[in-house]
Amino acid sequence: KPATTTAASSADSYPTSHDQIQSPANTQNFLDSEFVESKATQWIDLYDPATNNLVTRVPQSTDAELKAAVESAQKAFPKWRNTSLLARQQIMFKFVALIREHWDRLAASITLEQGKTFADAKGDVLRGLQVAETACGITTQLTGEVLEVAKDMETRSYREPLGVVAAICPFNFPAMIPLWSIPIATITGNTILVKPSERDPGAMMILAELATKAGFPPGVINVIHGSAKTVDFILDEPLIKAVSFVGSNKAGEYIYSRASANGKRVQANLGAKNHAAVLPDANKNHALNAIAGAAFGAAGQRCMALSTCVMVGETKDWVPEIAERAKALKVNGGFEEGTDLGPVISPQAKKRIEDLIQSAEDEGATILLDGRGVKPEKYPNGNFIGPTLIANVQPHMKCYTEEIFGPVLVCLNVSTIDEAIDLINANPYGNGTAIFTRSGSTAQRFTHDIEAGQVGINVPIPVPLPMFSFTGNKKSVAGGGANTFYGKPGIQFYTQTKTVTSLWRSEDAVATKASVNMPT
Ligand code: NAD
């Protein structure tokens, strides 16, 4: 049973540089707490985005492997469900401790496979870890309700697990997103199949190893790999009761429809175009720093990246200063000291982003800072794009209508806060938004009138902590956002309510005729 879960990592040694891996090993399936080599005939090559060197090969898990994984999860379910809540909580405590212990190793896997800086990758792990830490409080979070509805009669509600559930994850947060699902799904008594992104499954493989060490029994967490074919298996497999998806609109809208049509519960977080409204009374330095950090951090590959600025009134004159701050950010390999932005995920993503910058130029916007052609000295073959700032953007331009998902900030100018609110609300996405102002009443008005589901007041990336829920809105969620991730709605998503009404008469019944009417 190999302890090494990808070519790039073992408990004792993990990469701390982008040096070429001499003999990249294959990523394995994780089934019944064992790492198993896939018998796949199709493999997906995974390249380090900073160098385009091969890191590992990810299998398109075979039909038999997918079936075995779901059957293992189904077999594990009755026993896991009947394991006491306190025993499951103890396992979660251990899991949390192990994630902290292996924090650097997890982050290193992310930097190698996804490209983000090591410091940022540590944040990726932390934001997932916090969901697991919060799940440790399940003993008070899972309580039902009891009401004495009449003399001798009471109604009580329980929350029961669903059975086997599945998570389909995106490339941009390889640790955080699996951890939006695993802790809550498992502590509430479900078993889970995880399909990490085929572009960076390494962090999930380490989490699987840690879950086993923490004491999760075989089958409670299984990991399968692949792309659309694996997803279709999940969507159509009757044993899978619920699907959690995070990723693009294209995949997510399809997944939501097909899984829902098959009678499954679905939670699906999709793409975004997050706007900041910048008011003339803002704390200028704070606002400009926050915007540059939130637009270009993680090379703009965050669903809550602040990719669009709405400059209100005279703040349009501040745009060159944002460009100055953006210019000062260092583009380099994610393991290098002092790097602010790593590469984007793939050469295809790089080309797509560069084409969108070109389209802005062609449509008459002003490219104030152009990151095309930026090439860190040590990484001539990586997928790098430097911070790019596009000013004087109009709402019909392609760089505005599409999610760019790269280190590109587009700036639009309006005259008033009303125009800013109208512009932001006219955008079909509604993940997050931010306002920069010193005025409490302007902020209050913005908060009330804006349609985006997550609002930051002088906070550029208002991702709610795990005691709240991730509440994107409009086109940024499928199904109207009824099933949001983590927090109380997360627990609701992974549990079914059972309501029990009981009658314990203190006197023996005397009537001998049955009543056929609804009680009045
Ligand atoms: P993606 O949709 O390409 O991939 C996500 C998952 O879906 C992967 O596991 C992939 O294998 C699978 N998939 C991809 N295409 C598919 C298809 N045609 N059929 C079936 N399955 C398919 O997304 P990505 O590029 O990995 O992630 C980036 C996207 O995710 C961005 O749009 C970003 O905004 C979004 N995102 C949203 C949130 C959020 O909470 N709203 C968080 C992170 C990322």
Side-chain angles (χ1 to χ4, degrees), residues 389-406:
L389 199 155
I390 310 178
N392 301 318
V393 168
Q394 301 288 331
H396 66 270
M397 294 180 182
K398 207 169 164 198
C399 67
Y400 179 74
T401 55
E402 285 200 18
E403 180 184 31
I404 301 178
F405 221 56

Side-chain angles (χ1 to χ4, degrees), residues 409-471:
L409 176 65
V410 303
C411 297
L412 298 89
N413 306 325
V414 297
S415 304
T416 63
I417 179 73
D418 299 83
E419 280 178 50
I421 291 171
D422 288 347
L423 176 76
I424 298 170
N425 284 346
N427 193 283
Y429 292 106
N431 216 29
T433 187
I435 182 168
F436 291 92
T437 179
R438 279 197 175 95
S439 157
S441 62
T442 307
Q444 185 59 35
R445 150 101 203 283
F446 181 83
T447 306
H448 182 267
D449 289 351
I450 212 73
E451 291 169 359
Q454 306 178 99
V455 182
I457 301 170
N458 301 313
V459 172
I461 305 187
V463 176
L465 284 167
M467 54 298 276
F468 292 91
S469 192
F470 192 100
T471 53

Side-chain angles (χ1 to χ4, degrees), residues 124-349:
D124 184 331
V125 177
L126 179 67
R127 295 310 288 263
L129 172 61
Q130 289 168 335
V131 176
E133 287 172 339
T134 305
C136 291
I138 193 67
T139 40
T140 50
Q141 294 161 1
L142 202 61
T143 47
E145 292 173 319
V146 187
L147 181 68
E148 189 181 53
V149 286
K151 182 174 174 296
D152 300 334
M153 178 176 273
E154 67 167 33
T155 298
R156 60 176 65 211
S157 64
Y158 301 86
R159 301 210 70 93
E160 298 186 337
L162 307 176
V164 182
V165 300
I168 302 167
C169 307
F171 82 84
N172 66 329
F173 281 98
M176 180 183 84
I177 304 276
L179 288 171
W180 278 6
S181 287
I182 295 167
I184 304 174
T186 56
I187 205 150
T188 51
N190 301 282
T191 58
I192 186 165
L193 236 56
V194 184
K195 191 206 88 63
S197 170
E198 63 275 37
R199 297 192 264 187
D200 47 21
M204 181 59 229
M205 300 315 287
I206 298 169
L207 289 172
E209 181 197 308
L210 303 182
T212 307
K213 274 203 190 122
F216 280 98
V220 173
I221 301 169
N222 289 330
V223 185
I224 52 178
H225 298 288
S227 43
K229 188 167 174 269
T230 307
V231 170
D232 282 347
F233 167 81
I234 290 170
L235 305 181
D236 294 343
E237 167 55 53
L239 289 176
I240 296 174
K241 304 295 177 215
V243 176
S244 301
F245 171 82
V246 179
S248 65
N249 281 70
K250 182 167 176 270
E253 284 161 15
Y254 162 75
I255 286 167
Y256 183 84
S257 311
R258 185 152 164 178
S260 303
N262 284 331
K264 301 182 198 311
R265 281 188 188 190
V266 192
Q267 52 179 185
N269 276 7
L270 313 177
K273 196 84 179 170
N274 306 306
H275 295 63
V278 187
L279 276 291
D281 68 352
N283 175 337
K284 186 175 169 190
N285 250 330
H286 169 75
L288 301 191
N289 288 336
I291 290 164
F296 303 115
Q301 297 175 114
R302 292 182 183 134
C303 68
M304 286 289 276
L306 204 55
S307 58
T308 311
C309 265
V310 185
M311 312 306 293
V312 181
E314 73 225 43
T315 69
K316 66 173 181 299
D317 300 333
W318 299 359
V319 174
E321 289 180 64
I322 306 177
E324 282 309 309
R325 281 160 221 242
K327 213 168 165 180
L329 298 173
K330 191 159 175 47
V331 181
N332 208 350
F335 283 119
E336 303 292 342
E337 208 51 48
T339 302
D340 294 305
L341 278 77
V344 297
I345 189 72
S346 65
Q348 294 78 8

